[in-house]
Amino acid sequence: SGEPDLQFRDPEKAEQLTDKLEALMDDIDGRVTIMHVCGSHEQAIAKYGLRSLLPDGLTIRMGPGCPVCVTDMPEVDEAVELAEDGKIVATYGDMLRVPGTEKSLDDAKADGADVRVVYSASEAAEIAEEEDREVVFFATGFETTAAPTAAVLTADPPENFSILSAHKYVPPAMEVVAELPDTDVDGFLAAGHAATITGYGLFEEFVEDYEVPTVVGGFEPIDILFGLAQLLEFIRDDEPGLANAYQRCVTEAGNVPAKEAMWDVFETTTGEWRGIAEIPDANLVLREEYKQYDARERFDIDVDTTSSNPLTEECLCGDIMAGKADPDECELFGEECTPQDPVGACMVSSEGPCKIWLEYGGQP
Ligand code: SF4
């Protein structure tokens, strides 16, 4: 129903769990770094001040879990070009202020382009039903939004509808981060909502290959603390295990029809995650059968993927997303870069770590 279940915010339970974390850290007797891979985790951690409850030596870092933040600049440039070329570009509200090389979609809109905010791919398809002009859905996000985009494409959308896919697929990005030499991650707290689609079974191979304990976690304070306790148990036992700490929403197989629709429509390809790396198999593009809905096929989009903006070169967003830096290490944080006038994508989205840290007063 969307109503929070208050038992997952119960202070007494939270205290029991933080005591448990303390005891586990005593047993481990060393430093532990856990990476979460989800903007909603960062939001909850900041909002409830969970970092201040953690025992000494236990650090939680954010990984590449904010889809807006990892959308690459040329992808934004493509959307801007389509909008300036007279197409109606529909996208999620968070995408409007994400800086492109020269302009954001918001800037293009201010200059007269028709850019519309939608809450879903199906809303974008509805706009196409009502309009004669071409409507391009700038499709961003992970599995949680890629599956609904796929559902719209399998339901015979209007002919003047197409998508510009910037959808990304999380597991390969976790592999890249797990391999980064200077990111010492002892365990992953995987994102509960992506796992409602993919199922937690998806992480089995990852855990086997990289030998890092991984726990799928929910988004209430108790869920997160519980997930951390499970991770610390694995770490104490030196066991690269996999657990599902979000059983009320996530199953081993996930949402099979949604998953099947997603893989019917999309396939993976190598793609750039802004500021992090070029990641094999981590971008989702339309399969041959759906190419008629691919804005990149339908229109001649010509963006320069090599140009860059000097100010954004100082942005540490990529390092933050890779778990190598915290937002307040960026010299522009809260000064030249604010939510009203963002330099990097991490300051734009409600899931962006810089915006979250600023909102909750520095180090949350
Ligand atoms: Fe980038 Fe702004 Fe965050 Fe600095 S504060 S890392 S410029 S988004």
Side-chain angles (χ1 to χ4, degrees):
S1 71
E3 285 293 306
D5 189 339
L6 293 180
Q7 62 168 316
F8 296 102
R9 294 183 189 173
D10 177 12
E12 223 168 278
K13 270 195 197 155
E15 205 180 311
Q16 284 165 8
L17 283 165
T18 47
D19 288 349
K20 187 167 181 193
L21 293 177
E22 190 102 34
L24 284 161
M25 284 301 287
D26 281 346
D27 290 347
I28 292 168
D29 196 21
R31 302 195 66 81
V32 170
T33 301
I34 303 294
M35 178 176 275
H36 71 77
V37 203
C38 182
S40 303
H41 274 147
E42 186 62 30
Q43 262 171 353
I45 289 164
K47 180 168 171 198
Y48 297 103
L50 297 186
R51 283 195 178 88
S52 67
L53 303 178
L54 300 182
D56 284 347
L58 175 58
T59 308
I60 314 181
R61 307 212 86 146
M62 174 150 182
C66 160
V68 172
C69 309
V70 298
T71 303
D72 202 23
M73 209 178 277
E75 291 171 325
V76 175
D77 292 345
E78 287 178 305
V80 167
E81 188 179 306
L82 288 169
E84 293 195 317
D85 199 31
K87 279 80 180 167
I88 298 171
V89 171
T91 191
Y92 299 113
D94 268 357
M95 291 309 299
L96 262 62
R97 281 171 178 240
V98 178
T101 309
E102 280 171 14
K103 280 186 175 184
S104 64
L105 279 170
D106 225 10
D107 299 332
K109 192 175 176 188
D111 293 343
D114 194 345
V115 178
R116 306 208 191 161
V117 171
V118 291
Y119 291 96
S120 63
S122 55
E123 207 183 320
E126 279 163 27
I127 296 176
E129 303 258 358
E130 289 158 14
E131 298 279 350
D132 296 327
R133 276 191 294 151
E134 288 285 341
V135 175
V136 181
F137 177 52
F138 184 27
T140 60
F142 301 133
E143 295 86 315
T144 17
T145 52
T149 303
V152 168
L153 293 184
T154 54
D156 206 12
E159 268 179 25
N160 59 335
F161 179 73
S162 59
I163 75 154
L164 177 68
S165 176
H167 280 307
K168 314 238 179 252
Y169 184 54
V170 177
M174 284 172 62
E175 292 173 16
V176 164
V177 171
E179 276 179 346
L180 287 175
D182 39 0
T183 311
D184 249 333
V185 180
D186 302 296
F188 278 97
L189 185 67
H193 26 240
T196 57
I197 308 279
T198 54
Y200 73 85
L202 174 84
F203 295 108
E204 250 160 48
E205 212 179 299
F206 172 77
V207 169
E208 247 166 56
D209 290 353
Y210 294 88
E211 299 188 338
V212 203
T214 300
V215 171
V216 173
F219 301 96
E220 293 291 347
I222 302 296
D223 290 320
I224 294 173
L225 294 171
F226 179 64
L228 290 174
Q230 290 212 306
L231 279 165
L232 289 189
E233 279 176 12
F234 282 140
I235 292 164
R236 177 199 58 195
D237 301 340
D238 209 7
E239 185 194 336
L242 171 65
N244 176 16
Y246 195 31
Q247 293 192 357
R248 66 186 185 281
C249 294
V250 174
T251 60
E252 185 169 3
N255 181 337
V256 175
K259 207 163 58 171
E260 279 174 1
M262 186 174 96
W263 292 124
D264 274 347
V265 169
F266 291 108
E267 60 188 344
T268 59
T269 186
T270 300
E272 190 70 33
W273 285 41
R274 185 190 290 233
I276 301 177
E278 189 174 78
I279 306 183
D281 293 327
N283 275 21
L284 296 175
V285 288
L286 292 175
R287 283 183 190 276
E288 202 51 50
E289 301 86 294
Y290 288 91
K291 283 286 185 213
Q292 77 264 32
Y293 298 115
D294 190 343
R296 293 187 180 100
E297 295 279 318
R298 193 177 294 187
F299 310 112
D300 208 6
I301 315 174
D302 183 22
V303 301
D304 181 356
T305 53
T306 54
S307 63
S308 73
N309 168 331
L311 194 55
T312 59
E313 272 163 24
E314 286 177 49
C315 170
L316 296 184
C317 197
D319 285 349
I320 295 166
M321 295 270 96
K324 292 191 277 189
D326 284 330
D328 55 3
E329 287 171 47
C330 172
E331 290 192 358
L332 308 181
F333 178 72
E335 305 283 333
E336 281 99 330
C337 182
T338 60
Q340 292 71 37
D341 196 5
V343 173
C346 290
M347 192 56 95
V348 177
S349 162
S350 53
E351 293 186 281
C354 296
K355 177 150 186 228
I356 295 170
W357 280 46
L358 201 63
E359 194 170 323
Y360 292 98
Q363 169 106 32

